[in-house]
Amino acid sequence: MRRTALLTAAAALVAGVLAWPVDAAPTTFVHPGVTVSKSQLDFTRSKVNAGAQPWKGAFDRMMASKYADLNRTPKPRAVVECGSYSNPNYGCTDEREDAIAAYTQALAWYITRDERHAKKAIELMDAWSATIRDHTNSNAPLQTGWAGSSWPKAAEIIKHTYTGNWANSGRFATMLRTVYLPEIINGSNSNGNWELSMMEAAVGISVFLEDKASYDKAMGKFRTRTAAFVYLSSDGELPKTVPSQNLNTREKIVNYWQGQSTFVTGLTQETCRDFTHTGYGISAISHVAETSRIQGQDLYGTDVGERLRHALGFQAKYELGEGVPSWLCRGSLKLGLGPVTEVGHNALANRLGHAMTNTETLNTRNRPSGSNNLFVAWETLTHADNPS
C-alpha cells in the first residue's frame, strides 16, 4: 500500500514537472538576460575584435551613431507627455533615445572595455531615475513600453558585467518598479503592436527586478496577444482574439484586421495598416522569445516560434518586391518593415534549422542593421549568426 502511494506521488510529481508551463518564470533568473546573454556578448566581442564581418561593420555603425557619443547630455523629465503619434511630444523622443543610448553605451563598454562608456550608461540611467515620475496622455502606455524595453537591456549589462560602482542601481530599480511597470503590466486593447511592446518591456523589467509574479503575468498576456497578432491556418476560419476586446463577430474581427477578410498563414493584425507597425509587433515577439530562451524556456518551440517564423517570411517576401495580390489589403501595401529580422532569423533558421529564404535575403540586404530610434538597436551586432 505504501509502495503504491509512493508511486502515485512520484507520478504526480513527474506530471507536475511535465505540465510546468514553458513560459513560467525561471527558478533563478539569468543575468545579463534581457534579449542578449553574456555568451552572446562574448561571441560578439570576439568577432568585433577579430575584425570579422558583419559584426565589425555593425559595431562601426553603432559607434558612429549619436547614441555612442560620450558627450551626450541626458534630458530627463519628471513627466513625459506623449499624445497620439507623439503629438504633443514633451520628452518622448528624449526618453526613448536616452534609453537606447544607455543600451548603446553598455554594449560599447562590453565590447571595448572602455569604462567611459559604462559611466555614460550609468549617467543616463541615473539622470532619469532621479527625475521621472510619470507618463501621461494617450500614448503613455506605448511610450512606456518603448523606453521600458531599452532600459533593462542597458541595466542588465551594466549591473552584471561592469566591475565599477553603480551606486544608484537600487533607485533605477525603483523607477522601473514604480513608474514603468504599473503603466504597462495590465496590457492594452489597442492595436497589437502596443501590447506586444508593453509586454516586452514588462518581461525585461521583471528579469531585472527578479519579479516572478510580474514575469508570469506579462508572459501570459504576451502569449495571448501573439496568438491574436499572427494568423496560422491551424487557428481556424478566423484569427484568435484577446478576450477583453470582445471581438465576437466576423465583422468585428475583419474591421480590427484593417478590413482584411481573407486570412492566410503569416498575415498579421496590422499587415494592412502598414509594415512599420507590423514590424514593431514582430520585433517585440522576437525579443520576448529570446529573453525567455535565455531564462531557460523555449518559446521558439511553441506556437510563438511558428507565428514569428511565418510572420517574418510573409512580410519579407513583399518587402523584397513580390507583387501584391488583389485579395491582400485591397492590392496595396505600405512597406517599411524596419531592422527587425536578425533575432528571429538567427533563432529559427540558424539554431533550429528552419528554411527561411525570404527572411534571410531581407536580413542580409539590411545588414548591418541600425536602430529604429524607438526600441530596436544594433541587432546585426548582437544576434547575426550568433550560436550562443
Side-chain angles (χ1 to χ4, degrees), residues 54 61 316 320 341-342 345 350 356-369 380 384-385:
R61 180 174 183 182
L320 290 167
T341 56
E342 288 280 12
H345 176 265
N350 294 338
M356 298 177 69
T357 307
N358 290 322
T359 305
E360 182 171 352
T361 300
L362 181 62
N363 204 34
T364 303
R365 188 180 81 176
N366 290 344
R367 285 180 173 175
S369 64
T380 297
D385 306 329

Side-chain angles (χ1 to χ4, degrees), residues 125-199:
M125 292 188 285
D126 281 356
W128 280 89
S129 70
T131 307
I132 190 167
R133 296 293 176 265
D134 198 12
H135 297 86
T136 64
N137 215 318
S138 58
N139 258 33
L142 182 60
Q143 171 72 20
T144 308
W146 281 342
S149 293
S150 296
W151 286 129
K153 290 194 289 189
E156 281 282 296
I157 294 172
I158 296 300
K159 182 175 181 179
H160 298 286
T161 73
Y162 177 54
T163 54
N165 183 37
W166 183 15
N168 293 311
S169 63
R171 187 179 73 196
F172 185 82
T174 298
M175 175 191 80
L176 294 181
R177 183 180 295 108
T178 62
V179 178
Y180 286 80
L181 201 53
E183 186 70 45
I184 55 179
I185 192 65
N186 292 317
S188 166
N189 287 324
S190 185
N191 280 304
N193 82 87
W194 276 52
E195 188 163 80
L196 289 167
S197 291
M198 291 162 68
M199 291 310 107

